[in-house]
């Protein structure tokens, strides 16, 4: 109202004729503007408060959910056998999940050779369509270590379908010792297995001062060879020979 009065006074000063302001009209106009200003401020305050409430509700909904208390999963059981599927060696030999499944569920052992240091087994899947070569070593300090090494060998008439699988692991042979720690044992045992090629009826091993035939059953074979010193193989290497039904040697190679 003061500004309006000043404006009217300035206008009156500029006029050439005298001017007397209507005080009643100025007061009424000032009160009208005041009511409008108060209503605007009240509405703005209400909108701000409502916005704050909505924001609080939204933030409450999108904030982090409380994490339920979960029990950590148990450590998987030790793999007792180092296994590789006969038709997919390179993938399965390093697949711990698959190897645990084989050790737990592939209970059909086609052929197996065992001794005090472990065993070599050819296993068949539950549906009878797949086969696995598995070697198990004696637990050392309570840990199941299986086979320590594996070498895939395909030579001569042995194709992929008839691959010869070889593993090696620590061994004590015929020594009467505590195998839980292998204290004083310097030997190794080689584990072999494979499919029997068509026409072959006998698979023989020579070397490291030993002569023996592999165990053969249902189209697969397995054998283990022990040596007290791994260096003995340099002077007396292991040879695998295969014979047909007539006794003719059809395959021989060094392993």
């Amino acid at each position: 109202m003061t500004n309006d009065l000043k404006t009217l006074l300035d206008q009156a000063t500029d006029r050439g004729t005298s001017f007397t302001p209507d005080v009643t009209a100025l007061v009424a106009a000032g009160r009208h503007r005041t009511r409008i200003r108060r209503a605007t401020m009240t509405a703005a305050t209400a909108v701000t408060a409502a916005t704050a409430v909505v924001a609080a509700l939204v933030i409450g909904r999108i904030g982090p959910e409380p994490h339920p208390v979960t029990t950590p999963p148990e450590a998987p059981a030790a793999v007792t056998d180092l296994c590789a599927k006969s038709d997919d060696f390179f993938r399965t030999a390093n697949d711990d999940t698959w190897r645990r499944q084989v050790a737990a569920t592939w209970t059909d052992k086609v052929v197996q050779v065992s001794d005090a240091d472990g065993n070599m087994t050819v296993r068949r899947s539950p549906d009878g369509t797949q086969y696995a070569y598995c070697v198990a070593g004696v637990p050392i300090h309570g840990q199941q270590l299986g086979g320590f090494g594996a070498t895939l060998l395909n030579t001569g008439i042995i194709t992929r379908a008839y691959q010869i699988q070889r593993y090696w692991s620590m061994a004590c042979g015929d020594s009467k010792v505590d195998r839980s720690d292998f204290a004083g044992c310097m030997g190794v045992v080689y584990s072999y297995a494979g499919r029997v090629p068509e026409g072959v009826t006998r698979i023989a091993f020579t070397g490291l001062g030993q002569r023996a035939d592999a165990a053969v059953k249902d189209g697969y074979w397995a054998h283990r060879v022990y040596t007290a010193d791994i260096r003995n193989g340099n002077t007396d290497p292991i040879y695998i020979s295969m014979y047909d039904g007539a006794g003719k040697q059809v395959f021989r190679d060094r392993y």
Side-chain angles (χ1 to χ4, degrees):
M1 185 175 72
T2 302
N3 292 334
D4 293 341
L5 177 59
K6 183 177 183 300
T7 300
L8 291 175
L9 290 174
D10 291 339
Q11 290 175 354
T13 302
D14 295 336
R15 289 179 182 177
T17 57
S18 60
F19 170 74
T20 303
D22 187 342
V23 176
T24 302
L26 290 173
V27 171
R31 288 175 178 173
H32 178 69
R33 288 188 176 89
T34 300
R35 286 196 300 272
I36 292 175
R37 188 180 300 110
R38 286 176 179 173
T40 302
M41 292 178 65
T42 300
T45 301
V47 170
T48 302
T51 302
V53 172
V54 172
L57 292 174
V58 171
I59 292 173
R61 288 180 180 176
I62 66 175
E65 294 288 340
H67 294 289
V69 178
T70 58
T71 303
E74 295 183 2
V79 177
T80 57
D81 295 85
L82 178 61
C83 302
K85 192 161 59 177
S86 60
D87 59 352
D88 195 2
F89 170 82
F90 291 105
R91 183 182 68 82
T92 58
N94 297 312
D95 188 338
D96 284 343
T97 301
W98 182 86
R99 280 159 45 191
R100 286 190 177 90
Q101 177 185 351
V102 170
T105 64
W106 291 34
T107 57
D108 183 7
K109 298 180 180 180
V110 178
V111 59
Q112 176 174 282
V113 288
S114 303
D115 50 48
D117 295 311
N119 61 71
M120 181 72 194
T121 308
V122 177
R123 301 190 184 204
R124 184 160 39 210
S125 64
D127 63 5
T129 63
Q130 297 176 329
Y131 293 82
Y133 303 123
C134 299
V135 61
V138 175
I140 301 177
H141 299 300
Q143 297 297 317
Q144 299 280 2
L145 300 179
F148 293 128
T151 305
L152 183 65
L153 302 171
N154 293 306
T155 58
I157 64 169
I158 307 301
T159 66
R160 182 168 179 78
Y162 305 112
Q163 63 192 24
I164 293 178
Q165 186 62 46
R166 182 179 73 170
Y167 299 88
W168 68 267
S169 55
M170 296 175 63
C172 299
D174 295 329
S175 301
K176 304 297 182 181
V177 297
D178 180 7
R179 282 175 165 77
S180 65
D181 58 10
F182 279 87
C185 289
M186 302 298 292
V188 298
V189 61
Y190 297 100
S191 297
Y192 298 87
R195 293 181 65 180
V196 180
E198 184 177 355
V200 169
T201 60
R202 175 178 168 236
I203 300 173
F205 281 75
T206 57
L208 295 175
Q210 304 167 56
R211 287 179 177 271
D213 287 355
V216 178
K217 185 179 178 182
D218 293 344
Y220 283 84
W221 62 270
H223 189 65
R224 284 164 66 89
V225 180
Y226 168 78
T227 177
D229 189 332
I230 194 171
R231 294 171 296 179
N232 291 339
N234 295 329
T235 56
D236 189 10
I238 298 172
Y239 283 91
I240 300 178
S241 300
M242 299 187 181
Y243 301 86
D244 63 14
K248 179 183 178 181
Q249 181 176 288
V250 295
F251 173 81
R252 185 175 189 267
D253 212 333
R254 173 178 173 170
Y255 289 87

